Every structure is written in structure tokens, then in C-alpha cells.
Amino acid sequence: MMNATLAPERPATTAPVDVLTIKDLKAYYINEHFGVRREVRAVDGIDLTVRRNEVYGIAGESSSGKTSLIKTLAGAIRPPMRVVEGSVKFDFGGKHIDVYGEPAKMQAARWQHLSYIMQGSMSVLNPVRRIKHAFNNFAYRHMGLDATAFRRRVESHLDRLGLDASVLEAFPHQLSGGMRQRVTIALATVCEPEFIIADEPTTALDVLVQQDVLGLIKEVQGRLGSSVVFVTHDMSVHAAITDRLAIMYAGRLAEEGPTQALFDRPQHPYTAHLIASLPRIGDVSTRKSLAGKPPSLANPPSGCRFHPRCPIAIERCSKEVPQMLPSATGGRVACFRAGEVSMQ
Amino acid sequence: MSQNLLELDHVTKRYGVGGLFSHQSITAVNDVSFSLASDTPEIFAIVGESGSGKSTMAKMILGNEVPDGGRLVFDGTDIGTIRTRAQREAFMTRVQPVFQNPFEAFNPLTHVDTYLYATARRFTGADTRIQQEAKADEALQRVGLSLAELKGRFSHELSGGQLQRVAVARALIPSPKLIVADEPVSMVDASLRMSIVNLFRSLRDELKVSIIYITHDLATAYYISDRVIIMQKGVVIESGGARAVLDNPTHPYSIALKNAVLPPDPKAAAAAIRQRRALVEGA
């Protein structure tokens, strides 16, 4: 009986298939007041692909444009933000969607094929409505089931995530933070989407709860065979969950590659700094913090945007923009002195 | 015998739960005792997850909550006997807080430097703007900023790390003996976290300020603190020198907390997640 309601089997392919392809994407916040035009270049020329059945991490400081990037790829942008150039294309098992070419098709794909796990579980769930209403509001119309079958499906899904069906009758404030975050994960995965965007899902959580939530996301991802784009500034979370990792700095990608290779041999000085600054138990040697602050995206530095803070910058860095080129570790890197930084 | 800077003597705090006529209560802090010596400044970490009572401890040390049992003695005065405004201000001159979320601690519609002037006026008797600016600049220099770059700025114009450093600078203006920092880095970007943590270290070494560092992150606690207590549901389950306790935790909860620190290495971290998952599934 369950089988009839499940989504059709996805074709089992061995070759990596790109679910998401972003080409030269530029999305700016454009304000015009009294003839003065101000552009904030939050996403400035990004190329990337996300494969089927992988966790793709995006790391970067606050105001590096990572949230703008995922908003853009989900087609969830509003004025003053505008896509200036480039394309975002999804391939959901043969169903092609160009996010900025056919917005109507994107609307239909939402939640069915593409869902989100958001940071503040308290602001996702309506505080004066029981949890079941959240499921009705988000998922009911995408499932094409009648109310009883929908309820059964939700309950069996919650059960698989280790949640009791009684949470459906609870109000959000009656649940702990970790429990609420698990409910939002259940909410995002109940339609078994191919593509899940997770924006800082563990940032406000305790360490123990964080570990549970990460484990749950990884397990659900593995079972559904979906792709997850995982955004956080915390490199140790990326180490734990992602297969491939992109480092974002000031609206551009600095480096991208398999997570293990990136941690073993970072090619970009910024990546090396992010990894070296992590504190570890059993090690009290002084950790350096990067001087300076993230650049303003309204008026970014010339050339490589990292050069004012870079310990190994040369003259060329302030004049030319480095392109993303294949790196020695099987990824891509945008740095003229790639691989020359030591891990200290 | 040297006097203790802060002494907690069997401190207990209960909160009533339920309705007006309910007699239920939960014990947020249960019989906690420790002391900080006044001659050796140290960073004292209180570690625990949400609901372990660590923020209630902070509130009691700051005098914002009154304990239901036991005494808190700061520099010879029982915090519970503070009644008048003058006493309160004298206390606040020596004990200053740093809060978790700098974006909430600063009013977004107020220039951040205003807070520094207000603190200088209230606690150092700086009456003129020139004196206040001098005090503010001095404190900002200590944390690696300057008044010139902050004057007239709003909180949204600064990064989380900078703003948290302004919060520390504000706390430094009255030249306190003790700073109570409640989760000071959990809302700050991981890459900027170390600048705050290193700052605490230099405050201890250079200004001889004792710091109570409240956190759930064992990695930073290990990195900076001298002594640590680990709390679970209001009870101190383990205490001692930070390295000794965190290198070899003995209580099952401390061990779980230590294992929950994600190692900054993909293979080890993924293994830790799987292990925890198996544990939760099995339970």
C-alpha cells in the first residue's frame, strides 16, 4: 500500500549526473535613489555544478554572499536583488528547469523536487499553530494524496526520522530546539525531493544536538539519494558532512574540491587560514585570526578580492582577477599563488 | 590568606513552573560551589548544553537573579545584600557582562559608540564628551579597534566579530575585576571566533581581569580556560584544571560532550557522526 504512494523510482545511474548547473551567475542588489545607483555585488560570476547524491558544502564568512547565492539558485529573489547575468538550471531526472527562463515551472517544482531546511526553526514554524498545520501548509498540495493517506504518510516519515507522531499535535514552543530542527528536516524531506538546500541548519544548536541533526541529514540524504547544498561558516561541520566543498569569499568562489583533499592540502590561502584557525582538543598552540574584515560588496577591492588580507599577496593580485582553474588536488582554485601557502 | 574574588557557597536556584497555584518547580542550579582567587586572574569556563543552568549562573553572578539557597560573595560583599543604587553601581564597576548575541545587545538604531560614552559617564565619572571619548578610545585600543573607525557607526555596519569586540571594550571601561561572558562566541563566525577568544586570553594576561567564560563549545574552552566545571541539569558533574578534565573526562556526560566536538578532519568527523547516530538509534 505504501508503494503506491511513493515517488517513482529514480533511474539508478552510476555516472555522476549534474542536478544543478550554475553558469557565470551574477546577482546584484541594485538600489537607485535620486539617480544615484548603488550596486551590491553579492553573487559575482559563479560557476558550479552539484551532482546527484552528494552533499555539496558552501563555506564563507558572514556577508560573503553565500545566502544570496542559495536564494538565487532557489529562484527566491526579490527586488532590489536582480540576476544580471548567467543561468541556473536544474535537471530533476530528465525534467529540465531553467530557473530564470521559466519561473512558472520552477514554482511547480518547489517542495516536490526542491526543498529547504532553514536556520531558525522557531521562525519557520508558526508559534500559534500545531505542527500538523505546518505539514498541511507546506506539503499537502504537492503530494496529491487525500487527507487520511497524507496523514499516514507524514506519520510514517516522522517515524523513520525517530520522531513520535504525537509531535504533530504539539505547538513549537513545547518542543526543544533540537526537536524543532528535526521537525523542519522532516518537513523538508517528506516529499522526498531530489534537491535539498540547508542554510545553517545547526548554527544555533548545542554541540550534542548538532551532531544528531547532522547525522539525521546525512542519513535522509543517503536514503533518498538526493543532493544537498549545505551552507555554514563552520568548517568542522563541513568536515563532518560534505562530500565536496566550495569556499566563498566576497561574492566569488575562492576554491572548490573534494572535502578531504581541501582539508589535507588547501590550495587557496583563505582556505588554509579557515582550516588552521580551528581549535582542537589536545592542542593549545595559539591560533591566529585573520586581520582585517570582510570587504564591502558595494565597493570590493580590485583584482583578487582577498589580496588586502592575504599573507602571500603579490603585486599581480591587486591588478588582475584570478580565474577558477583546475587545482593540483582535483578541484578548482582561483589564486595566482595556488598551493604555495603552508599550513601554519 | 588571600581573599577570594568570587565565592559561590552551595548556590541553588529554582524556577516555578506551571500556573499561579502550581507548586512545581525546576531546579536550574543545584548546590554549586566554587571560588576564584583575587590574586591570580584566570579564565574559568562553565560548560554545558542548553538547560544545564549555565546562563542562570551568569545571571546570579551578575546580581540579576537572587539565589534560593546559598550565598554569592564578591570581594567580601554578599551579592544578595546589595540594596541601594550606590552599592549596585559600585558592584557593577567591578563586574561586567558580555552577552551572547552582539546584534541583539546593541540597539540597531543607536550609534554603537553611544554605549561606550554612557558606560564611561556612569562608572568613571567622565562628565564631558572629551573625557568620555578618551575613555572609549582607550578601551577600544585594547581590543584592537579605535574610536575613529567606530564613531557614528551603527551595529549593522560592523561584522559580528567587531561588534563583539566593541562589547568587550564597553565592559572594560570601568576597569572591572571580573567579566562574565555568556556564550560570547556562539553567534560569531567561526573564522572570527578566534579573535575574540585570543582577546580574552590577553585580557587575563595583560589587564589581570578574571573571566567567567560560559560556553557549550569544548574546543574553545580547552583552548583558553585554566579551570573548567561541566554542568548537567544544574549539577556540577566534573570540575578541575581545564586540560586535565578535558583530556580525560570521567563522567559519561562529559565524555559525550567531548565526543560531540567535531574534529576538523573529514574522515574523523564523519566517523564521529556515524558513531553518534548508531548510539542514538540503539538507545
Side-chain angles (χ1 to χ4, degrees):
Chain A
M1 195 194 73
M2 277 303 295
N3 281 342
T5 60
L6 281 176
E9 283 286 307
R10 283 172 203 141
T13 42
T14 42
V17 181
D18 295 339
V19 179
L20 169 68
T21 312
I22 298 180
K23 280 222 172 69
D24 193 31
L25 184 66
K26 290 182 180 169
Y28 301 163
Y29 293 90
I30 300 174
N31 275 314
E32 221 169 325
H33 291 298
F34 308 111
V36 180
R37 192 180 155 99
R38 186 170 184 264
E39 282 184 353
V40 176
R41 302 179 173 192
V43 178
D44 202 7
I46 285 187
D47 281 282
L48 62 85
T49 57
V50 177
R51 298 175 193 145
R52 173 166 300 154
N53 198 3
E54 75 167 354
V55 182
Y56 186 88
I58 298 176
E61 294 169 288
S62 325
S63 77
S64 63
K66 51 194 191 327
T67 301
S68 300
L69 173 63
I70 57 170
K71 272 189 189 158
T72 317
L73 69 86
I77 60 167
R78 288 196 168 51
M81 194 178 188
R82 222 182 295 162
V83 170
V84 179
E85 219 180 297
S87 66
V88 180
K89 288 187 178 125
F90 283 101
D91 171 7
F92 298 125
K95 195 172 162 194
H96 296 272
I97 297 175
D98 182 346
V99 177
Y100 293 97
E102 311 134 292
K105 251 169 122 181
M106 187 64 202
Q107 199 60 39
R110 249 182 223 143
W111 226 256
Q112 184 80 60
H113 297 291
L114 171 88
S115 70
Y116 321 80
I117 303 169
M118 277 155 286
Q119 177 174 13
S121 55
M122 203 61 194
S123 32
V124 174
L125 303 168
N126 186 337
V128 296
R129 300 275 275 166
R130 293 179 197 276
I131 302 286
K132 63 180 175 189
H133 295 297
F135 279 91
N136 288 340
N137 292 345
F138 277 95
Y140 182 65
R141 68 191 177 113
H142 297 292
M143 308 266 280
L145 300 173
D146 64 65
T148 344
F150 175 71
R151 173 85 181 205
R152 262 205 306 275
R153 176 80 177 280
V154 169
E155 283 177 9
S156 72
H157 183 68
L158 286 173
D159 185 52
R160 272 182 293 174
L161 300 193
L163 287 163
D164 196 82
S166 62
V167 298
L168 289 172
E169 298 298 329
F171 288 100
H173 66 88
Q174 294 172 319
L175 306 174
S176 68
M179 196 83 140
R180 279 201 298 269
Q181 197 55 280
R182 262 183 281 175
V183 168
T184 58
I185 293 172
L187 202 52
T189 52
V190 67
C191 295
E192 311 197 333
E194 282 100 333
F195 200 89
I196 301 166
I197 295 167
D199 186 8
E200 306 253 10
T202 61
T203 301
L205 301 176
D206 267 337
V207 277
L208 281 171
V209 181
Q210 162 174 302
Q211 220 180 9
D212 291 344
V213 168
L214 291 177
L216 187 64
I217 293 176
K218 188 85 183 162
E219 192 189 286
V220 174
Q221 182 268 331
R223 206 176 51 224
L224 299 179
S226 1
S227 316
V228 173
V229 168
F230 198 101
V231 178
T232 175
H233 60 78
D234 193 336
M235 288 298 278
S236 40
V237 171
H238 281 299
I241 195 168
T242 60
D243 302 311
R244 287 195 304 143
L245 181 57
I247 312 285
M248 219 172 151
Y249 188 80
R252 292 197 185 133
L253 292 188
E255 188 172 0
E256 182 204 49
T259 307
Q260 183 73 53
L262 217 70
F263 272 80
D264 290 344
R265 281 194 294 154
Q267 299 293 302
H268 198 283
Y270 182 60
T271 317
H273 156 74
L274 285 180
I275 293 166
S277 70
L278 292 169
R280 294 154 210 246
I281 288 193
D283 183 359
V284 288
S285 61
T286 304
R287 300 270 170 233
K288 279 206 195 74
S289 185
L290 206 57
K293 58 168 185 157
S296 153
L297 293 171
N299 185 17
S302 62
C304 172
R305 291 182 175 177
F306 186 58
H307 85 263
R309 299 169 82 188
C310 182
I312 58 165
I314 49 175
E315 211 184 323
R316 190 181 172 197
C317 300
S318 58
K319 291 180 180 145
E320 283 175 58
V321 178
Q323 299 301 311
M324 280 294 264
L325 298 170
S327 73
T329 52
R332 293 182 298 154
V333 63
C335 183
F336 294 123
R337 303 192 66 187
E340 288 181 45
V341 68
S342 72
M343 270 302 276
Q344 271 318 304
Chain B
M1 191 196 114
S2 76
Q3 200 182 22
N4 282 331
L5 180 68
L6 177 73
E7 196 174 331
L8 274 76
D9 182 21
H10 300 283
V11 170
T12 298
K13 176 75 193 174
R14 278 184 288 274
Y15 289 112
V17 289
L20 192 56
F21 300 105
S22 152
H23 291 290
Q24 290 176 338
S25 68
I26 49 164
T27 308
V29 173
N30 194 355
D31 196 21
V32 173
S33 304
F34 66 82
S35 59
L36 303 183
S38 57
D39 43 5
T40 46
E42 65 173 329
I43 297 177
F44 186 87
I46 302 177
V47 180
E49 60 181 347
S50 315
S52 62
K54 55 194 198 312
S55 290
T56 305
M57 293 273 286
K59 286 178 189 162
M60 287 194 290
I61 294 166
L62 290 168
N64 292 343
E65 291 278 0
V66 183
D68 292 311
R71 288 194 325 145
L72 290 100
V73 180
F74 179 80
D75 219 0
T77 355
D78 186 337
I79 297 177
T81 63
I82 294 173
R83 288 286 178 272
T84 66
R85 185 181 167 138
Q87 284 172 330
R88 176 94 198 134
E89 286 195 353
F91 173 70
M92 284 164 74
T93 315
R94 288 174 298 164
V95 182
Q96 279 287 325
V98 173
F99 295 109
Q100 176 172 12
N101 190 344
F103 293 99
E104 284 175 7
F106 290 97
N107 183 340
L109 300 177
T110 308
H111 294 152
V112 291
D113 48 341
T114 316
Y115 289 90
L116 302 172
Y117 305 146
T119 306
R121 185 174 64 240
R122 191 160 173 205
F123 295 116
T124 66
D127 294 327
T128 66
R129 182 46 65 93
I130 295 165
Q131 286 173 323
Q132 290 162 9
E133 284 184 359
K135 289 275 180 200
D137 194 42
E138 186 192 335
L140 286 169
Q141 300 283 356
R142 282 262 151 69
V143 300
L145 296 166
S146 69
L147 189 60
E149 56 182 311
L150 280 174
K151 212 167 180 179
R153 303 289 287 275
F154 290 102
S155 60
H156 65 85
E157 295 177 75
L158 303 171
S159 75
Q162 283 178 309
L163 211 51
Q164 197 61 296
R165 274 187 284 164
V166 176
V168 176
R170 191 211 58 79
L172 287 177
I173 287 177
S175 324
K177 301 289 289 174
L178 178 68
I179 287 180
V180 181
D182 189 0
E183 300 264 13
V185 295
S186 65
M187 296 304 287
V188 177
D189 261 12
S191 58
L192 301 171
R193 235 171 241 180
M194 294 323 282
S195 68
I196 306 291
V197 169
N198 286 335
L199 174 64
F200 283 137
R201 216 189 221 181
S202 68
L203 293 183
R204 174 196 62 189
D205 297 340
E206 287 158 26
L207 297 182
K208 311 286 177 218
V209 182
S210 285
I211 292 159
I212 291 185
Y213 177 64
I214 297 175
T215 185
H216 64 245
D217 178 15
L218 282 184
T220 52
Y222 185 93
Y223 178 66
I224 57 163
S225 50
D226 303 299
R227 281 195 298 155
V228 62
I229 59 174
I230 299 177
M231 290 182 72
Q232 185 190 23
K233 298 193 174 117
V235 182
V236 176
I237 52 162
E238 209 160 337
S239 63
R243 316 278 177 271
V245 169
L246 299 179
D247 279 332
N248 296 303
T250 52
H251 192 280
Y253 178 72
S254 330
I255 296 172
L257 263 186
K258 184 182 171 185
N259 289 339
V261 176
L262 295 171
D265 171 68
K267 274 201 200 88
I273 295 281
R274 272 199 303 278
Q275 207 180 0
R276 170 81 186 164
R277 191 80 199 133
L279 203 76
V280 173
E281 295 277 280

